[in-house]
């Protein structure tokens, strides 16, 4: 499923909304999640999962092509943990 | 860094502000998005949201695990797990926003 298919499904269920409105709604939701994480906030969606930000410490890395060592600075990366309900549903429970 | 936790309510509030739909309808639309995504994943489909990220289902085979507290061996059944791979755009924005 891609973004446009998700928009289509929601448009089909809501005949009173224009597709371009559903597009804005879907974009707003994903945008809100990304914005929250870029502020360092978490987004917890019970049953689905939680988006959070994890810190990766600075480390000495290696360029796999040249073998050269490089200093990698600390950075913050997005992280998703699956919710219990969805995890159970994936396993037919 | 923020450390605040947003919930469904904050997402539907954002839809309410952006679209001017009722709070109730905004909440239902957020819920419906999550349901469609979950249903696709349960069917084993990938959910690929451009400029956000990709959710995929991976099959894990059975293995022998260990209770880290007691050291006891426990069988782990084959199972399906969900992984999320953030897009480059999301990675860049999260890295830039949290720079110390």
């Amino acid at each position: 499923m891609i973004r446009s298919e998700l928009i289509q499904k929601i448009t089909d269920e809501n005949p009173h909304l224009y597709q371009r409105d559903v597009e804005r709604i879907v974009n707003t939701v994903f945008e809100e999640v990304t914005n929250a994480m870029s502020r360092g906030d978490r987004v917890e969606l019970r049953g689905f999962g939680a988006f959070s930000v994890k810190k990766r410490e600075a480390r000495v890395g290696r360029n796999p092509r040249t073998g050269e060592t490089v200093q990698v600075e600390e950075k913050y990366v997005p992280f998703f943990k699956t919710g219990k309900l969805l995890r159970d549903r994936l396993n037919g429970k | 860094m923020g450390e605040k936790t947003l919930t469904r309510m904050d997402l539907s509030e954002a839809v309410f502000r952006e679209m001017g739909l009722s709070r109730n309808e905004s909440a239902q639309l957020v819920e419906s998005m999550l349901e469609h995504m979950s249903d696709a994943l349960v069917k084993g489909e990938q959910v690929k949201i451009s400029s956000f990220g990709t959710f995929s289902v991976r099959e894990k085979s059975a293995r022998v695990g260990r209770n880290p507290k007691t050291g006891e061996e426990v069988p782990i059944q084959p199972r399906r797990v969900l992984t999320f791979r953030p897009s480059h755009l999301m990675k860049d924005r999260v890295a830039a926003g949290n720079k110390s």
Side-chain angles (χ1 to χ4, degrees):
Chain A
M1 172 187 269
I2 59 175
R3 187 195 290 260
S4 58
E5 291 166 339
L6 175 61
I7 291 166
Q8 190 57 55
K9 280 186 192 287
I10 298 171
T11 306
D12 292 347
E13 284 172 350
N14 294 276
H16 63 292
L17 295 175
Y18 289 113
Q19 175 155 334
R20 62 165 185 273
D21 291 333
V22 176
E23 222 171 283
R24 256 173 79 197
I25 293 163
V26 167
N27 295 348
T28 299
V29 171
F30 288 124
E31 189 60 24
E32 195 68 13
V33 174
T34 308
N35 285 341
M37 278 192 286
S38 50
R39 294 190 302 263
D41 290 341
R42 280 166 53 83
V43 181
E44 197 176 305
L45 304 169
R46 281 285 159 88
F48 184 77
F51 295 91
S52 59
V53 179
K54 284 201 168 178
K55 182 181 178 178
R56 294 271 176 266
E57 295 294 344
R59 63 191 171 84
V60 178
R62 203 175 274 276
N63 181 328
R65 203 165 296 168
T66 63
E68 211 180 335
T69 59
V70 279
Q71 182 60 39
V72 182
E73 281 180 37
E74 73 161 39
K75 64 175 174 190
Y76 290 86
V77 296
F79 180 76
F80 176 76
K81 183 172 191 281
T82 313
K84 189 176 184 313
L85 185 73
L86 182 51
R87 205 185 324 133
D88 287 348
R89 277 190 68 199
L90 286 168
N91 290 289
K93 281 183 220 163
Chain B
M1 200 157 142
E3 306 273 313
K4 221 180 96 190
T5 298
L6 278 72
T7 62
R8 280 173 169 73
M9 223 209 280
D10 299 283
L11 300 185
S12 53
E13 188 67 22
V15 172
F16 164 77
R17 281 196 312 264
E18 174 75 19
M19 304 297 299
L21 298 170
S22 74
R23 281 201 163 79
N24 190 21
E25 185 170 19
S26 303
Q28 276 171 12
L29 287 160
V30 170
E31 203 51 51
S32 149
M33 265 178 79
L34 296 175
E35 266 168 30
H36 284 303
M37 290 166 68
S38 303
D39 289 351
L41 292 164
V42 169
K43 279 190 272 173
E45 272 180 54
Q46 224 182 29
V47 175
K48 206 167 176 166
I49 309 296
S50 57
S51 78
F52 185 80
T54 304
F55 298 89
S56 10
V57 179
R58 290 177 50 197
E59 308 275 342
K60 296 271 209 175
S61 43
R63 65 184 173 89
V64 179
R66 204 176 275 277
N67 181 327
K69 215 167 277 175
T70 63
E72 199 185 345
E73 282 189 356
V74 278
I76 297 177
Q77 299 304 315
R79 65 204 206 283
R80 291 160 86 202
V81 297
L82 177 57
T83 57
F84 174 68
R85 192 163 177 264
S87 70
H88 274 289
L89 185 83
M90 181 191 279
K91 279 198 213 168
D92 290 348
R93 287 185 54 193
V94 168
N98 291 284
K99 222 172 203 132
S100 31

PDB file of all heavy atoms in Angstrom, chain A residues 3-17:
ATOM      1  N   ARG A   3       0.923   5.756  -0.302  1.00  0.00           N
ATOM      2  CA  ARG A   3       0.147   6.901   0.180  1.00  0.00           C
ATOM      3  C   ARG A   3      -1.150   7.117  -0.606  1.00  0.00           C
ATOM      4  O   ARG A   3      -2.219   7.292  -0.017  1.00  0.00           O
ATOM      5  CB  ARG A   3       1.013   8.158   0.126  1.00  0.00           C
ATOM      6  CG  ARG A   3       0.389   9.373   0.759  1.00  0.00           C
ATOM      7  CD  ARG A   3       1.130  10.630   0.345  1.00  0.00           C
ATOM      8  NE  ARG A   3       2.451  10.712   0.935  1.00  0.00           N
ATOM      9  CZ  ARG A   3       2.750  11.450   2.004  1.00  0.00           C
ATOM     10  NH1 ARG A   3       1.826  12.179   2.575  1.00  0.00           N
ATOM     11  NH2 ARG A   3       3.976  11.461   2.487  1.00  0.00           N
ATOM     12  N   SER A   4      -1.052   7.064  -1.961  1.00  0.00           N
ATOM     13  CA  SER A   4      -2.238   7.351  -2.777  1.00  0.00           C
ATOM     14  C   SER A   4      -3.326   6.289  -2.597  1.00  0.00           C
ATOM     15  O   SER A   4      -4.514   6.588  -2.684  1.00  0.00           O
ATOM     16  CB  SER A   4      -1.846   7.473  -4.245  1.00  0.00           C
ATOM     17  OG  SER A   4      -1.223   6.286  -4.664  1.00  0.00           O
ATOM     18  N   GLU A   5      -2.922   5.050  -2.317  1.00  0.00           N
ATOM     19  CA  GLU A   5      -3.927   3.992  -2.085  1.00  0.00           C
ATOM     20  C   GLU A   5      -4.624   4.195  -0.740  1.00  0.00           C
ATOM     21  O   GLU A   5      -5.825   3.942  -0.608  1.00  0.00           O
ATOM     22  CB  GLU A   5      -3.257   2.617  -2.131  1.00  0.00           C
ATOM     23  CG  GLU A   5      -2.796   2.248  -3.537  1.00  0.00           C
ATOM     24  CD  GLU A   5      -1.842   1.068  -3.596  1.00  0.00           C
ATOM     25  OE1 GLU A   5      -1.195   0.748  -2.560  1.00  0.00           O
ATOM     26  OE2 GLU A   5      -1.721   0.478  -4.670  1.00  0.00           O
ATOM     27  N   LEU A   6      -3.864   4.648   0.238  1.00  0.00           N
ATOM     28  CA  LEU A   6      -4.454   4.949   1.551  1.00  0.00           C
ATOM     29  C   LEU A   6      -5.466   6.084   1.401  1.00  0.00           C
ATOM     30  O   LEU A   6      -6.591   6.009   1.923  1.00  0.00           O
ATOM     31  CB  LEU A   6      -3.332   5.326   2.526  1.00  0.00           C
ATOM     32  CG  LEU A   6      -3.736   5.781   3.922  1.00  0.00           C
ATOM     33  CD1 LEU A   6      -4.500   4.691   4.669  1.00  0.00           C
ATOM     34  CD2 LEU A   6      -2.488   6.178   4.736  1.00  0.00           C
ATOM     35  N   ILE A   7      -5.088   7.116   0.649  1.00  0.00           N
ATOM     36  CA  ILE A   7      -5.984   8.254   0.407  1.00  0.00           C
ATOM     37  C   ILE A   7      -7.249   7.781  -0.309  1.00  0.00           C
ATOM     38  O   ILE A   7      -8.365   8.148   0.058  1.00  0.00           O
ATOM     39  CB  ILE A   7      -5.249   9.348  -0.412  1.00  0.00           C
ATOM     40  CG1 ILE A   7      -4.162   9.990   0.466  1.00  0.00           C
ATOM     41  CG2 ILE A   7      -6.222  10.397  -0.939  1.00  0.00           C
ATOM     42  CD1 ILE A   7      -3.143  10.837  -0.284  1.00  0.00           C
ATOM     43  N   GLN A   8      -7.088   6.900  -1.296  1.00  0.00           N
ATOM     44  CA  GLN A   8      -8.228   6.385  -2.045  1.00  0.00           C
ATOM     45  C   GLN A   8      -9.202   5.628  -1.146  1.00  0.00           C
ATOM     46  O   GLN A   8     -10.408   5.829  -1.214  1.00  0.00           O
ATOM     47  CB  GLN A   8      -7.729   5.480  -3.185  1.00  0.00           C
ATOM     48  CG  GLN A   8      -8.808   5.070  -4.168  1.00  0.00           C
ATOM     49  CD  GLN A   8      -9.495   6.270  -4.797  1.00  0.00           C
ATOM     50  OE1 GLN A   8      -8.839   7.137  -5.377  1.00  0.00           O
ATOM     51  NE2 GLN A   8     -10.815   6.382  -4.660  1.00  0.00           N
ATOM     52  N   LYS A   9      -8.660   4.772  -0.269  1.00  0.00           N
ATOM     53  CA  LYS A   9      -9.527   3.994   0.620  1.00  0.00           C
ATOM     54  C   LYS A   9     -10.351   4.902   1.523  1.00  0.00           C
ATOM     55  O   LYS A   9     -11.535   4.671   1.761  1.00  0.00           O
ATOM     56  CB  LYS A   9      -8.685   3.041   1.484  1.00  0.00           C
ATOM     57  CG  LYS A   9      -8.275   1.772   0.744  1.00  0.00           C
ATOM     58  CD  LYS A   9      -7.562   0.808   1.688  1.00  0.00           C
ATOM     59  CE  LYS A   9      -6.886  -0.333   0.956  1.00  0.00           C
ATOM     60  NZ  LYS A   9      -7.840  -1.330   0.431  1.00  0.00           N
ATOM     61  N   ILE A  10      -9.706   5.934   2.046  1.00  0.00           N
ATOM     62  CA  ILE A  10     -10.408   6.841   2.954  1.00  0.00           C
ATOM     63  C   ILE A  10     -11.420   7.693   2.183  1.00  0.00           C
ATOM     64  O   ILE A  10     -12.526   7.956   2.668  1.00  0.00           O
ATOM     65  CB  ILE A  10      -9.402   7.700   3.749  1.00  0.00           C
ATOM     66  CG1 ILE A  10      -8.533   6.771   4.615  1.00  0.00           C
ATOM     67  CG2 ILE A  10     -10.116   8.723   4.622  1.00  0.00           C
ATOM     68  CD1 ILE A  10      -7.371   7.449   5.276  1.00  0.00           C
ATOM     69  N   THR A  11     -11.074   8.066   0.953  1.00  0.00           N
ATOM     70  CA  THR A  11     -12.018   8.827   0.109  1.00  0.00           C
ATOM     71  C   THR A  11     -13.259   7.976  -0.173  1.00  0.00           C
ATOM     72  O   THR A  11     -14.389   8.465  -0.097  1.00  0.00           O
ATOM     73  CB  THR A  11     -11.348   9.250  -1.217  1.00  0.00           C
ATOM     74  OG1 THR A  11     -10.140   9.943  -0.918  1.00  0.00           O
ATOM     75  CG2 THR A  11     -12.250  10.168  -2.023  1.00  0.00           C
ATOM     76  N   ASP A  12     -13.046   6.690  -0.481  1.00  0.00           N
ATOM     77  CA  ASP A  12     -14.175   5.795  -0.759  1.00  0.00           C
ATOM     78  C   ASP A  12     -15.137   5.706   0.422  1.00  0.00           C
ATOM     79  O   ASP A  12     -16.340   5.595   0.242  1.00  0.00           O
ATOM     80  CB  ASP A  12     -13.664   4.381  -1.090  1.00  0.00           C
ATOM     81  CG  ASP A  12     -12.916   4.336  -2.420  1.00  0.00           C
ATOM     82  OD1 ASP A  12     -13.013   5.322  -3.191  1.00  0.00           O
ATOM     83  OD2 ASP A  12     -12.215   3.338  -2.679  1.00  0.00           O
ATOM     84  N   GLU A  13     -14.585   5.744   1.622  1.00  0.00           N
ATOM     85  CA  GLU A  13     -15.435   5.623   2.819  1.00  0.00           C
ATOM     86  C   GLU A  13     -16.116   6.932   3.196  1.00  0.00           C
ATOM     87  O   GLU A  13     -16.976   6.946   4.061  1.00  0.00           O
ATOM     88  CB  GLU A  13     -14.570   5.237   4.027  1.00  0.00           C
ATOM     89  CG  GLU A  13     -14.152   3.811   4.047  1.00  0.00           C
ATOM     90  CD  GLU A  13     -13.146   3.572   5.167  1.00  0.00           C
ATOM     91  OE1 GLU A  13     -12.658   4.567   5.765  1.00  0.00           O
ATOM     92  OE2 GLU A  13     -12.862   2.406   5.440  1.00  0.00           O
ATOM     93  N   ASN A  14     -15.615   8.037   2.651  1.00  0.00           N
ATOM     94  CA  ASN A  14     -16.152   9.342   3.038  1.00  0.00           C
ATOM     95  C   ASN A  14     -16.572  10.131   1.806  1.00  0.00           C
ATOM     96  O   ASN A  14     -15.938  11.114   1.429  1.00  0.00           O
ATOM     97  CB  ASN A  14     -15.081  10.129   3.810  1.00  0.00           C
ATOM     98  CG  ASN A  14     -14.735   9.476   5.136  1.00  0.00           C
ATOM     99  OD1 ASN A  14     -15.410   9.679   6.133  1.00  0.00           O
ATOM    100  ND2 ASN A  14     -13.690   8.675   5.136  1.00  0.00           N
ATOM    101  N   PRO A  15     -17.699   9.702   1.188  1.00  0.00           N
ATOM    102  CA  PRO A  15     -18.120  10.335  -0.066  1.00  0.00           C
ATOM    103  C   PRO A  15     -18.389  11.842   0.048  1.00  0.00           C
ATOM    104  O   PRO A  15     -18.416  12.530  -0.969  1.00  0.00           O
ATOM    105  CB  PRO A  15     -19.390   9.561  -0.446  1.00  0.00           C
ATOM    106  CG  PRO A  15     -19.770   8.768   0.746  1.00  0.00           C
ATOM    107  CD  PRO A  15     -18.564   8.594   1.588  1.00  0.00           C
ATOM    108  N   HIS A  16     -18.562  12.331   1.258  1.00  0.00           N
ATOM    109  CA  HIS A  16     -18.811  13.777   1.417  1.00  0.00           C
ATOM    110  C   HIS A  16     -17.523  14.598   1.372  1.00  0.00           C
ATOM    111  O   HIS A  16     -17.572  15.820   1.411  1.00  0.00           O
ATOM    112  CB  HIS A  16     -19.557  14.042   2.720  1.00  0.00           C
ATOM    113  CG  HIS A  16     -18.772  13.640   3.938  1.00  0.00           C
ATOM    114  ND1 HIS A  16     -18.485  12.314   4.229  1.00  0.00           N
ATOM    115  CD2 HIS A  16     -18.201  14.382   4.905  1.00  0.00           C
ATOM    116  CE1 HIS A  16     -17.769  12.278   5.331  1.00  0.00           C
ATOM    117  NE2 HIS A  16     -17.584  13.509   5.761  1.00  0.00           N
ATOM    118  N   LEU A  17     -16.354  13.917   1.322  1.00  0.00           N
ATOM    119  CA  LEU A  17     -15.080  14.651   1.272  1.00  0.00           C
ATOM    120  C   LEU A  17     -14.477  14.537  -0.129  1.00  0.00           C
ATOM    121  O   LEU A  17     -14.581  13.498  -0.772  1.00  0.00           O
ATOM    122  CB  LEU A  17     -14.086  14.072   2.284  1.00  0.00           C
ATOM    123  CG  LEU A  17     -14.431  14.201   3.766  1.00  0.00           C
ATOM    124  CD1 LEU A  17     -13.396  13.458   4.601  1.00  0.00           C
ATOM    125  CD2 LEU A  17     -14.511  15.665   4.200  1.00  0.00           C
TER     126      LEU A  17
END
